[in-house]
Amino acid sequence: MAILKVARLGNPVLRNPAREVSVERLAQPDFQRLIDDMVTTMREYQGVGLAAVQVHEPIQVAVLEVADNARYPGKAPLPLSVLVNPEIVPLGDETEEDWEGCLSIPEIRGRVPRYSSLRVTALDRHGNELDFVASGFHARVIQHEVDHLRGHVYLDRMPDLSTLTYLTELSRYWTDR
Ligand code: NI
């Protein structure tokens, strides 16, 4: 398995909507290898999610996992999941604000409002249909990854850019938030 190069902010691949994946494509070995490599890459850089566009593949695939992550201390664990062609619908208008970061925007965090609860439909890596409700941090990560697949980054979702901070300054000045 390989650690893939992660595209950084400014690379146009992050700004183009990703294509849907066909079920036939899912079955191909190179596609399954791409998913394995995305998982390896996410873990290597201690991400809680990674979208295929971030590794220069403009297709609708995202992986997510929270497992005692040093970049996101105190977050409830989330088993590894693979979302193919995900669609989300907010359940209600309730939103919550929290810090967010992105492997394509290194060393920076900002406060981002996200829907508290979502219905998620997608395929798994084998083409099985998924249909579930996500809430809290899980819902946040999914909204962040689905945004990537639509050509958006979390900066686009910030109503107030004054909370943008480098990690060093986050621990120094914002620890009470
Ligand atoms: Ni990201």
Side-chain angles (χ1 to χ4, degrees):
M1 289 188 224
I3 296 166
L4 304 172
K5 188 171 183 203
V6 176
R8 304 209 312 174
L9 188 68
N11 190 318
V13 75
L14 295 175
R15 291 308 198 168
N16 293 322
R19 295 188 306 271
E20 271 194 37
V21 180
S22 69
V23 176
E24 298 73 45
R25 184 80 184 93
L26 272 180
Q28 290 166 357
D30 66 311
F31 190 91
Q32 292 295 318
R33 193 176 321 121
L34 169 67
I35 290 173
D36 289 338
D37 290 346
M38 285 176 62
V39 172
T40 303
T41 304
M42 170 175 67
R43 288 173 175 165
E44 169 69 17
Y45 295 113
Q46 298 187 306
V48 291
L50 186 71
V53 298
Q54 291 181 275
V55 291
H56 309 85
E57 295 286 347
I59 53 174
Q60 291 182 27
V61 179
V63 297
L64 40 140
E65 180 182 51
V66 181
D68 196 18
N69 190 308
R71 283 178 77 240
Y72 293 90
K75 298 297 184 189
L78 198 63
L80 175 65
S81 62
V82 178
L83 301 179
V84 178
N85 304 337
E87 299 280 349
I88 55 177
V89 179
L91 296 176
D93 299 330
E94 191 190 329
T95 61
E96 51 197 68
E97 195 186 84
D98 199 357
W99 293 105
E100 223 163 283
C102 181
L103 295 180
S104 295
I105 310 170
E107 297 296 314
I108 287 180
R109 292 286 186 282
R111 306 278 300 178
V112 187
R114 296 288 190 183
Y115 288 107
S116 303
S117 188
L118 304 172
R119 180 176 174 192
V120 183
T121 53
L123 301 178
D124 71 10
R125 66 184 297 169
H126 306 296
N128 301 309
E129 290 184 14
L130 304 174
D131 187 341
F132 60 95
V133 171
S135 59
F137 188 64
H138 187 195
R140 173 173 300 276
V141 176
I142 290 174
Q143 286 167 91
H144 179 114
E145 299 313 325
V146 170
D147 266 358
H148 273 305
L149 302 180
R150 309 285 188 259
H152 301 299
V153 297
Y154 77 83
L155 304 176
D156 307 348
R157 302 298 188 199
M158 291 178 64
D160 176 6
L161 293 172
S162 71
T163 64
L164 274 182
T165 178
Y166 287 103
L167 280 176
T168 315
E169 281 68 19
L170 177 69
S171 57
R172 188 168 174 186
Y173 297 113
W174 299 80
T175 45
D176 57 331
R177 291 287 298 265

